[in-house]
């Protein structure tokens, strides 16, 4: 729903989703129904300042951070959260 950037890349197909789960050792495959059927949940690869997986969930007319995790579902550094919030803000979306 929000165009990616150089450091935040939309996960746009099943191949990318499987690759993200494998690379990050996380559970993103569990969200495939929400992504495919409900279309209220989108995933992105965050490449910098730390490699993370970003999940956005639709709230009313805006997209908000649902999850932002590093490898093995570890919490993301605060610098990553700030970077993602800035990206969301520049796209005109609200963030949590």
């Amino acid at each position: 729903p929000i165009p990616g950037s150089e450091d935040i890349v939309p996960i746009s197909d099943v191949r990318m989703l499987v690759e993200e789960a494998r690379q990050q050792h996380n559970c993103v495959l569990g969200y495939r129904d929400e992504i495919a059927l409900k279309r209220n949940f989108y995933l992105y690869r965050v490449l910098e300042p730390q490699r993370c997986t970003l999940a956005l969930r639709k709230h009313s007319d805006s997209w908000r951070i649902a999850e932002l995790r590093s490898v093995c579902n570890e919490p993301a550094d605060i610098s990553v959260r700030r970077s993602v919030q800035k990206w969301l803000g520049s796209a005109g979306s609200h963030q949590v």
Side-chain angles (χ1 to χ4, degrees):
I2 298 173
S5 70
E6 187 175 310
D7 295 327
I8 301 174
V9 179
I11 296 175
S12 59
D13 59 35
V14 174
R15 179 192 57 79
M16 287 181 76
L17 184 64
V18 170
E19 186 177 276
E20 186 72 5
R22 184 183 53 76
Q23 286 179 2
Q24 291 295 95
H25 303 284
N26 62 25
C27 58
V28 296
L29 289 174
Y31 294 115
R32 67 182 171 261
D33 287 343
E34 280 194 74
I35 295 166
L37 301 176
K38 296 180 184 177
R39 297 191 177 269
N40 66 345
F41 200 84
Y42 284 86
L43 297 169
Y44 294 79
R45 288 181 178 159
V46 178
L47 305 176
E48 294 290 336
Q50 176 189 25
R51 182 64 171 88
C52 291
T53 303
L54 166 65
L56 297 181
R57 183 181 300 276
K58 190 168 187 176
H59 290 273
S60 299
D61 291 331
S62 65
W63 292 91
R64 299 186 182 195
I65 298 171
E67 293 205 40
L68 181 58
R69 299 287 180 164
S70 182
V71 68
C72 297
N73 288 323
E74 289 293 315
D77 290 341
I78 190 68
S79 62
V80 180
R81 182 166 288 278
R82 288 182 184 137
S83 177
V84 168
Q85 288 174 331
K86 182 178 177 182
W87 168 74
L88 280 173
S90 70
S93 190
H94 304 272
Q95 59 267 359
V96 173

